[in-house]
Amino acid sequence: MRDLPEHLPRRTVVHTPHGGCDCQACGRGLREIGQDVSEVLDYEPGSFHVVRHVRPKLACARCSTITQAPAPSRPIDRCMAGTGLLAHVLVSKYCDHTPLYRLCQIYGREGVELQRSTLAAQAARLLSPLAEAIGRYVLAADKIHGDDTPIRVLGGAGAKARTGCLWVYVRDDRPSGDTAAPAVWFQYSANRKGEHPVRHLRHFNGILQADAFAGYHPLYEKGQVVEAACWSHARRKLWDIHERQHKLAGTLAHQALQRIGKVFGVGAEIRGKPPHERMRVRQERTAAMLGELKEWFNTALSQVSAKSPMALAIGYSLSNWTALTRFVDDGRIEAHNNAAERALRGVAIGRKNYLHLGSDSGGHSAAVIYTLIGSAKLIGIDPQA
């Protein structure tokens, strides 16, 4: 077994012989000639403690003036939850995907009752300025990744549940050798209309790596944003066909996947290289692969029904060809939008556990906390800390 981490605190337990310090054989005193040490990794569940703020009142013996320190501020007015508890609640729900009702059950076993309806929302309001600052930092980049995911939202008393949307924008240029810290910015909307990303990105000027969602088109038409499409998205349509065909080798879908795989293979080789080096390699190797792939797509298209899944998958790639191949001549751009899709994985896991958001206000709160937690995870910071 490997050694336990050095940074963990140690509690030493000394086990002395049952006979004390005298020899059981002759009765004389014993002296230590060495020791055997073994370590066991143990765990104590998180425990509550109460911080008592005592403010003595001091009176002057001469003039009777009374002096007292001001009351310490609380994160949330008239709320008895301290900063550590609030952080634990937020991380438990939005990072570890534990629903608030389940947290309350866990706390209840310790005899602590919490009002789950207010903790997350009020904490999110406190943290909103920081999330907004992260958003400004993300949009200051030359290139960002964008994506969205649906999330179920309750509509209030008597109203039906509906589908809201969490939008994500990621700044992460480490694959092109940039040393700037990555970050992620989430936004919530009550629907998936294109007006929302247009509003989110109204001050952004640069490259947007995303799927072919029509809601982004107004940004491209204005010329302020350059479109870069995602080969992972195009590949997924072919992969779905390949799976339905029981992953048989030699099918058109399988051949297409192999060709796209070679493009990704070159990308893996130049990951972390500076933009000019990436562009040079792509122009020397990837451009020819993509040219052959386009010819293969056109040939395959003539062999299948116009309304078949294969034709639709090929049509998606061909209709977005300019955006899909823009990365060849710009080393900053990726061949895929995986950075944004990775940022949404936590949301996908979370909504399976807590099922829905309570309201649109809860959606905006979730966007704030996901922004902070997602950014912390990207740069290797413990979200709880």
Side-chain angles (χ1 to χ4, degrees):
M1 179 178 178
R2 62 184 179 183
D3 294 337
L4 297 175
E6 291 294 334
H7 71 276
L8 296 178
R10 259 66 175 175
R11 178 170 61 92
T12 301
V13 179
V14 179
H15 302 273
T16 57
H18 294 299
C21 295
D22 295 326
C23 178
Q24 296 295 304
C26 67
R28 296 187 64 179
L30 299 172
R31 61 184 178 86
E32 185 174 327
I33 59 172
Q35 57 182 208
D36 291 327
V37 179
S38 62
E39 293 189 331
V40 175
L41 183 64
D42 207 346
Y43 174 76
E44 294 180 6
S47 58
F48 292 94
H49 66 272
V50 177
V51 179
R52 298 179 70 242
H53 294 282
V54 180
R55 296 184 296 134
K57 293 182 179 180
L58 307 177
C60 177
R62 181 177 181 181
C63 65
S64 299
T65 299
I66 297 176
T67 302
Q68 186 181 33
S73 63
R74 300 187 180 192
I76 300 175
D77 290 339
R78 296 182 297 278
C79 178
M80 298 179 70
T83 55
L85 177 57
L86 290 173
H88 179 66
V89 168
L90 298 177
V91 171
S92 295
K93 177 174 181 180
Y94 295 103
C95 184
D96 299 328
H97 322 300
T98 305
L100 290 181
Y101 81 88
R102 199 175 299 163
L103 272 179
C104 289
Q105 292 175 347
I106 296 171
Y107 296 161
R109 293 199 295 268
E110 299 288 331
V112 177
E113 295 184 5
L114 295 179
Q115 295 296 323
R116 70 183 191 217
S117 59
T118 58
L119 285 181
Q122 294 192 52
R125 278 196 289 274
L126 282 173
L127 296 168
S128 291
L130 184 53
E132 292 169 2
I134 292 175
R136 292 192 294 272
Y137 173 76
V138 169
L139 299 185
D142 293 331
K143 174 185 68 72
I144 60 174
H145 297 260
D147 205 350
D148 64 275
T149 191
I151 191 162
R152 193 165 178 263
V153 184
L154 299 183
K160 292 183 179 180
R162 48 196 169 76
T163 301
C165 188
L166 278 171
W167 306 82
V168 67
Y169 305 99
V170 182
R171 174 178 181 172
D172 189 356
D173 291 319
R174 290 175 295 179
S176 58
D178 196 344
T179 58
V184 56
W185 182 48
F186 280 86
Q187 289 288 277
Y188 169 81
S189 64
N191 53 54
R192 195 180 180 246
K193 292 182 179 179
E195 63 193 50
H196 302 299
V198 171
R199 184 180 72 257
H200 302 155
L201 303 179
R202 63 188 181 279
H203 299 308
F204 174 68
N205 289 277
I207 301 162
L208 173 62
Q209 188 118 34
D211 60 26
F213 175 51
Y216 298 127
H217 289 177
L219 294 168
Y220 305 143
E221 292 170 356
K222 293 178 182 178
Q224 71 181 82
V225 177
V226 177
E227 179 185 11
C230 171
W231 272 107
S232 288
H233 196 81
R235 179 186 181 279
R236 192 171 301 119
K237 298 177 183 299
L238 296 160
W239 175 257
D240 291 341
I241 299 172
H242 186 50
E243 281 196 319
R244 289 197 295 269
Q245 295 174 340
H246 308 290
K247 300 182 181 179
L248 293 175
T251 63
L252 290 177
H254 182 238
Q255 293 178 50
L257 290 172
Q258 288 181 313
R259 291 174 180 272
I260 295 173
K262 292 179 180 179
V263 174
F264 283 172
V266 175
E269 293 177 21
I270 58 176
R271 181 177 176 83
K273 301 292 185 181
H276 68 273
E277 174 68 12
R278 284 154 56 96
M279 183 179 70
R280 182 186 64 79
V281 174
R282 287 169 174 173
Q283 291 178 343
E284 290 177 357
R285 298 171 57 189
T286 307
M289 293 179 182
L290 290 172
E292 293 174 2
L293 177 59
K294 187 175 185 180
E295 291 182 9
W296 185 91
F297 273 154
N298 286 318
T299 301
L301 201 59
S302 65
Q303 300 173 8
V304 297
S305 170
K307 295 184 178 181
S308 67
M310 190 66 192
L312 296 176
I314 293 175
Y316 175 88
S317 295
L318 292 177
S319 61
N320 293 285
W321 193 257
T322 299
L324 280 170
T325 57
R326 184 159 278 132
F327 75 100
V328 173
D329 298 316
D330 192 329
R332 298 170 297 173
I333 303 175
E334 296 300 304
H336 50 70
N337 193 33
N338 292 354
E341 296 191 4
R342 284 193 298 268
L344 289 174
R345 285 177 185 169
V347 178
I349 297 172
R351 68 187 174 206
K352 290 181 180 179
N353 291 344
Y354 56 73
L355 301 180
H356 55 70
L357 299 172
S359 63
D360 288 334
S361 177
H364 292 295
S365 296
V368 169
I369 307 305
Y370 277 130
T371 293
L372 299 180
I373 288 178
S375 296
K377 290 167 69 176
L378 272 180
I379 56 179
I381 294 177
D382 176 9
Q384 175 77 31

